[in-house]
Amino acid sequence: MHGRRPTKNPHAEAEQFRRRAALGFVVVVLSLAGLAAWYFKLQVLDHADYATRSEANRIRPRPVVPARGMIYDRQGRLLAENLPAFRLDITPDKAGDTERLLAELGALIPLSEDEIEHFRNERRAGRGFRPITLKLRLSDEEMAVFAVNRWRFPGVEMEPYLTRHYPYGDLFAHVIGYVGRIDEQDLEQLGQGGSALTHIGKTGVERAYEELLRGKVGYERVETNVQGRALRTLGRVPAVPGADLRLSIDAELQRATVAAFGELEGTAVAMDPRSGQILALVSLPSYDANLFVNGISHADYRALMDNPSRPQFNRAVLGGVAPGSTLKPFLALAGLDSGVRKPEDRTLSTGMFYLPGNSRGWGDSHRGGHGWTDARKSIADSVNTYYYQLALDMGIARVEEYLTRYGFGQPSGIDLAGEIGGILPSPAWKMKQRKERWYPGDTVNISIGQGDWKVTPLQMVRGTGALADDGRLRRPHLVDARRDRFDAPWLPLTQPAPVLISDRPDHLQVVREGMVATVHGPGGTARAMGVGAPYRIAGKTGTAQVVSRRGTAAINPRSLPIHLRHRALFIGYAPAEDPQIAVAVAVEGGGYGGSTAAPIARAIFDAWLLGTPPEGMEPVDGPAPAGMPVDCAAEGPGCMAPDAAATSRVPAATPDADASGATPPARGARR
């Protein structure tokens, strides 16, 4: 017998359905409420945060590197310019496997070992989100190849930039210097704002005026797509371009100075004694500054470093030599100003000078001596004995005092980094450096510019300019003016007031007369350089010994290997009656100043005063004479036609009747 089936309870089932429906409804309502709350949080509470993130993904700030300021010479010739170029930048965080990327890129675009090594070093030292430059200055072919294959390389961008270029190559390498790629040390000095820059001034004017030339970095807001490619620019804070600089250097005089040296090595500095403006500054041999702009190759760098003549060494700023007899005009002035000597006081030169009780003698420039010698003759004929006795009578303390006043033993203050102060020998210096006391023989040695002396050509030309300009010792400088925009006026840079080295014009005149007699007098050591000159020259020759003599026997420098020969020196100014240019020349291995350095100085004088370049040198931009102002209206004050300007520099003068060829100096002469 079958049991009966249970009967349904419709009320219970309905109640159960209602409960389940209510529960489902509650769940749905809670879910919707939670979703609404989450949407509220996203859209309202966290709106600012997510909007910022979204904007950051779509719009990115990008630094705008300012154009570096241009550099011109006094005539407006462009010495340092900016050329448009493209580079390859890699952002490591977006690029993935950088080693694989380098291999694939290298198959399309030639990459040198130097470039790859530089990238790896920057990758290890830098942060992944910062772009790293892989290759600078892409060629047109390389840009086309990358543009076609750009989709294959995420995180790699071809960026436009301005690269530095020096049109004159090696002519101004030691003046302008060069810019180079920024390294970690540069970034530490520049701070966070410097991360957008790729280059910074390393040497010369580029380094000394880095802040002016660099300008200020700007920023722009760039809209990008999901791949990070730029779509458009939404806003910009413009960069401030660097200031342009105008140098006092004249490119034609610079070329003439280099040509005057020929195959010789050394340095020369030309300065306007009335203002301290540097007209030419040459250090030979030189090098092409363009090699360093985008990273010099190992081969080129090794070639420079292996060159025994050290092309990168700036002899005018860092090189020091004994002044030799070029010191004599300054010591003569010190003797007069100190009251130890009067212009008419005379000293007997017999050919050898001995200290009491000392058998070792000091020779004169002529074995037979010069006879009775006053201040003027001591300079013109380069009489050593006069200065041996003068220094002993003054005492080393007074010698040091006056020569310090003339600018020796201290930097000249030129606007180039790293200038040395040289060495002005003194008892304190000798005790500190050698732990030895000072002897009278040391005083005798330094009186003719030998011994432990070290002076730079800048110190020499600065002191010479002071003698020419009535005793006013000025700061030599290269940068004459600046402008902040290409259409803005040039603003002259303020220079410090000159320092007066002597308050006795009559004493200065005695020294100047002696320097004029050096070139135009009957016994002058530089008579040959004055032959045929339509203007009068004041000067002084000198020879800095590299090796000392053997006992009392003098050494003929021409008998020595070139690297052991004496350095030939000359200082002077012209025209003697109205000085407009002062020069200092130092020739390495040149032998004697009168026969080697003086002709170079004459060529510099002729180029500046007469507009006559050395033989074989063609003007680079026409026959306009040197020294004309840049921004000069035809009728403006201080402006004149080219012919008038050239004529005004050279007062009428008749060549000295006694200015015949100079006889070779006797052995052991220090001229």
Side-chain angles (χ1 to χ4, degrees):
M1 180 176 182
H2 297 286
R4 291 193 317 176
R5 296 175 60 186
T7 60
K8 292 184 178 180
N9 188 345
H11 296 287
E13 290 180 355
E15 184 64 26
Q16 183 181 38
F17 174 79
R18 283 193 294 270
R19 286 196 301 268
R20 290 178 178 177
L23 179 61
F25 179 76
V26 170
V27 170
V28 170
V29 170
L30 290 177
S31 298
L32 291 175
L35 185 61
W38 182 250
Y39 280 151
F40 180 81
K41 180 178 184 298
L42 291 178
Q43 297 294 329
V44 179
L45 300 181
D46 294 339
H47 172 77
D49 181 44
Y50 285 102
T52 302
R53 293 188 188 184
S54 176
E55 192 74 4
N57 288 332
R58 185 178 70 91
I59 301 174
R60 296 180 180 178
R62 184 167 64 184
V64 178
V65 179
R68 193 170 181 86
M70 308 284 204
I71 301 177
Y72 301 86
D73 85 335
R74 68 187 297 117
Q75 300 284 2
R77 304 180 184 97
L78 196 56
L79 307 182
E81 61 181 342
N82 302 316
L83 298 180
F86 283 85
R87 66 176 187 261
L88 273 186
D89 283 359
I90 298 178
T91 304
D93 282 355
K94 298 180 180 179
D97 186 352
T98 55
E99 291 301 320
R100 179 188 60 80
L101 182 67
L102 290 175
E104 293 180 359
L105 270 175
L108 293 176
I109 298 174
L111 299 175
S112 68
E113 289 297 327
D114 293 338
E115 290 168 338
I116 294 175
E117 185 62 26
H118 180 269
F119 173 81
R120 287 171 176 164
N121 292 337
E122 291 294 314
R123 176 70 182 92
R124 286 190 291 266
R127 299 178 182 177
F129 61 86
R130 285 182 177 173
I132 299 174
T133 298
L134 173 63
K135 186 177 182 67
L136 289 163
R137 202 159 190 181
L138 297 171
S139 66
D140 291 342
E141 293 79 7
E142 291 167 346
M143 287 189 291
V145 169
F146 178 77
V148 172
N149 294 273
R150 184 178 182 180
W151 61 273
R152 297 171 49 193
F153 304 104
V156 182
E157 294 291 340
M158 188 166 59
E159 296 288 345
Y161 76 108
L162 294 175
T163 185
R164 201 65 155 172
H165 179 251
Y166 304 104
Y168 287 86
D170 61 355
L171 185 62
F172 291 97
H174 292 293
V175 176
I176 298 174
Y178 58 84
V179 299
R181 299 173 83 167
I182 285 183
D183 54 28
E184 286 298 315
Q185 184 177 357
D186 296 326
L187 284 176
E188 290 179 4
Q189 296 176 354
L190 292 172
Q192 188 66 25
S195 60
L197 302 172
T198 59
H199 291 72
I200 192 172
K202 298 290 187 178
T203 63
V205 170
E206 293 275 27
R207 177 181 173 185
Y209 290 86
E210 168 62 26
E211 291 190 12
L212 273 180
L213 290 166
R214 182 172 67 232
K216 295 182 179 180
V217 177
Y219 292 92
E220 61 184 7
R221 298 171 66 240
V222 179
E223 184 178 12
T224 61
N225 60 16
V226 293
Q227 285 81 29
R229 309 290 188 191
L231 298 177
R232 58 176 176 153
T233 300
L234 301 179
R236 174 186 293 238
V237 176
V240 179
D244 295 336
L245 300 180
R246 188 179 71 198
L247 307 188
S248 57
I249 288 272
D250 184 88
E252 284 292 271
L253 184 63
Q254 185 87 350
R255 292 178 67 239
T257 304
V258 172
F261 271 84
E263 299 299 319
L264 296 171
E265 298 178 358
T267 181
V269 183
M271 184 185 79
D272 187 335
R274 302 164 297 181
S275 63
Q277 293 179 342
I278 297 297
L279 307 175
L281 189 152
V282 167
S283 177
L284 297 172
S286 188
Y287 62 96
D288 187 356
N290 291 301
L291 293 173
F292 288 88
V293 174
N294 290 319
I296 188 170
S297 67
H298 284 303
D300 289 335
Y301 186 70
R302 180 50 53 193
L304 288 175
M305 296 303 293
D306 290 344
N307 189 331
S309 296
R310 299 186 296 171
Q312 289 181 266
F313 185 71
N314 191 340
R315 290 158 168 80
V317 176
L318 303 173
V321 299
S325 291
T326 60
L327 182 71
K328 290 175 180 175
F330 302 100
L331 192 57
L333 179 62
L336 296 173
D337 280 352
S338 64
V340 175
R341 288 288 186 274
K342 296 178 181 178
E344 62 274 11
D345 288 345
R346 299 190 300 168
T347 300
L348 179 62
S349 166
T350 60
M352 292 296 293
F353 178 84
Y354 297 92
L355 286 171
N358 196 327
S359 60
R360 181 189 182 278
W362 283 265
D364 223 318
S365 53
H366 287 320
R367 279 301 183 191
H370 298 265
W372 289 102
T373 301
D374 61 9
R376 295 176 179 85
K377 182 180 177 181
S378 73
I379 297 172
D381 295 5
S382 200
V383 184
N384 292 344
T385 299
Y386 181 91
Y387 296 95
Y388 295 150
Q389 191 61 57
L390 172 60
L392 290 171
D393 291 345
M394 287 183 64
I396 186 59
R398 269 196 290 197
V399 169
E400 181 185 7
E401 174 191 350
Y402 278 91
L403 294 182
T404 299
R405 183 183 302 177
Y406 304 154
F408 296 106
Q410 56 194 294
S412 69
I414 191 170
D415 41 354
L416 290 175
E419 182 190 11
I420 66 170
I423 298 173
L424 199 171
S426 66
W429 177 88
K430 188 177 181 183
M431 180 59 66
K432 179 180 179 180
Q433 297 295 323
R434 299 187 179 178
K435 310 302 180 189
E436 298 176 0
R437 62 183 294 263
W438 189 266
Y439 296 98
D442 295 321
T443 304
V444 173
N445 274 337
I446 72 163
S447 69
I448 57 168
Q450 303 295 342
D452 293 317
W453 270 103
K454 182 177 285 188
V455 301
T456 65
L458 282 167
Q459 292 169 334
M460 294 165 64
V461 77
R462 185 188 185 206
T464 304
L467 297 177
D469 191 36
D470 297 326
R472 288 183 281 266
L473 188 70
R474 301 181 184 274
R475 172 185 178 251
H477 59 276
L478 288 161
V479 178
D480 183 49
R482 60 172 287 186
R483 68 179 181 189
D484 296 326
R485 302 186 315 275
F486 73 93
D487 58 345
W490 288 101
L491 303 175
L493 269 62
T494 303
Q495 301 298 328
V499 177
L500 198 64
I501 63 172
S502 175
D503 57 0
R504 292 292 301 269
D506 55 331
H507 292 167
L508 285 165
Q509 185 60 27
V510 169
V511 173
R512 288 195 289 259
E513 289 172 0
M515 294 177 70
V516 171
T518 298
V519 181
H520 302 284
T525 58
R527 284 174 292 162
M529 80 173 296
V531 175
Y535 53 88
R536 290 172 68 82
I537 302 169
K540 183 70 193 80
T541 59
T543 301
Q545 292 183 347
V546 176
V547 294
S548 61
R549 63 183 185 176
R550 303 181 184 94
T552 59
I555 295 176
N556 184 353
R558 296 187 179 91
S559 67
L560 297 170
I562 188 68
H563 68 283
L564 294 179
R565 292 184 185 180
H566 304 337
R567 292 184 176 92
L569 308 171
F570 180 85
I571 60 171
Y573 58 87
E577 297 79 10
D578 180 23
Q580 298 171 37
I581 180 174
V583 301
V585 179
V587 183
E588 296 183 1
Y592 295 115
S595 59
T596 306
I600 295 175
R602 169 67 187 275
I604 297 172
F605 288 146
D606 284 352
W608 184 248
L609 298 173
L610 306 178
T612 305
E615 185 176 354
M617 192 193 99
E618 295 295 332
V620 70
D621 53 4
M628 290 287 290
V630 178
D631 296 327
C632 187
E635 306 297 329
C639 300
M640 58 197 72
D643 291 341
T647 304
S648 69
R649 289 199 187 90
V650 186
T654 302
D656 202 301
D658 294 323
S660 57
T663 56
R667 294 177 66 200
R670 297 183 180 92
R671 296 185 178 179

